[in-house]
Structures are given as structure tokens and as C-alpha cells.
Amino acid sequence: MTRTPLRTVLVVSALAVGLSACQSPSPRPSASPAAVSSASTASGTTSGAVYVTGAKAGDDPCARVVSAIGYLGLSLLPAGQEEAQHWDGDVRGRFGYLRGALAMYGPHLPASAPVATVDGLAETLSRADTAGSRRTELLRRYRKASAAVLTACGRS
């Protein structure tokens, strides 16, 4: 009998949830990259640079940010293991990716979502020069703030 480690099951489940959040159809499939950066989204408009791979006009801001949180979560150890978390380029890069999603879609999230808090924590945790002694507590604070974003978006 083959046994599948719990971590593998959780990672695959989180990936499936994150990817399904990005599967919403775009109302303008032929939009050019220039049009994407200035076109309207489901809850407002994006302006300026495109920070998220595959961003399209009409993307649901909550779906994009929830997906970025899930993508980052794939590289994090489970809650309670923050002291053992490795802070390699993969983890820091995923915090950077989350910052890009927040830059594009954060202004269009529900007002109860603590966007500035998550962005500030992600900015600090994405930096290579952040002291290891600070990372454990910052990661715990990030988990609470990102959970509040998920709640504000109707996800758990």
C-alpha cells in the first residue's frame, strides 16, 4: 500500500485551489498587453504597469490576490513551524509576486482587507537583508493578515 505524506496532499490541494481561482474567463480574450494595463477590471481599473503574469482586463481582484497568497503558501512550512522556515530566493520571490498582485488588485479589494499590512509585511519578508531574528514574528503576522484578506474575499 502506498502512503502519501500529508504535506504532499496539502500542497497539491492548495495548488488546485489557487489555480482554479485564476480560471475565470476574460471578457476580452484578444486584449493586447497595452490594453490590459489600462483596461477596466471587474471592480475598477488597473493603471500603469502589469505586475502579474497573465493579468487580463476583467480579472477578479479577489481571485488574483487569493491565488497569489496560495502560490506563496506552497513554499511556506505549515503554521507553527515558522522557526524552521527556509528563506531562499523562492520564498522571497513569492512574497515579491504577492506584492505585485497587491499593487495591481489591492485597491479593488473589499475595504475590510488589510492590504497595506500584508504589503508591508511581504515587502520586508521579500528582502534578503531582513534579519532572520525578525522573520519568525513577521511570518506569523503575515499569516494573520493574509487570513483577513481571504476572509474579506469570502475565502477561508
Side-chain angles (χ1 to χ4, degrees):
M1 179 162 119
T2 304
R3 295 175 64 190
T4 304
L6 179 58
R7 178 164 167 79
T8 303
V9 171
L10 292 174
V11 167
V12 170
S13 297
L15 181 59
V17 169
L19 291 175
S20 68
C22 291
Q23 297 298 320
S24 62
S26 173
R28 292 185 211 131
S30 62
S32 68
V36 168
S37 66
S38 62
S40 0
T41 64
S43 299
T45 61
T46 57
S47 59
V50 174
Y51 297 107
V52 179
T53 302
K56 295 183 176 112
D59 285 349
D60 175 28
C62 273
R64 279 297 191 166
V65 172
V66 166
S67 177
I69 290 170
Y71 177 64
L72 168 58
L74 296 174
S75 292
L76 297 176
L77 293 176
Q81 296 183 22
E82 289 85 1
E83 294 87 9
Q85 180 66 52
H86 294 283
W87 294 97
D88 57 12
D90 171 62
V91 174
R92 292 191 322 269
R94 289 180 190 222
F95 272 109
Y97 183 82
L98 174 58
R99 291 199 71 217
L102 291 171
M104 286 187 70
Y105 299 104
H108 310 295
L109 292 178
S112 61
V115 174
T117 301
V118 173
D119 186 52
L121 291 164
E123 189 276 328
T124 304
L125 289 167
S126 70
R127 294 175 39 198
D129 65 348
T130 298
S133 60
R134 296 183 57 210
R135 289 188 185 276
T136 299
E137 182 55 32
L138 291 170
L139 180 55
R140 287 184 179 125
R141 288 176 46 204
Y142 161 77
R143 288 185 192 277
K144 289 179 184 173
S146 65
V149 170
L150 298 177
T151 299
C153 285
R155 291 7 183 248
S156 54

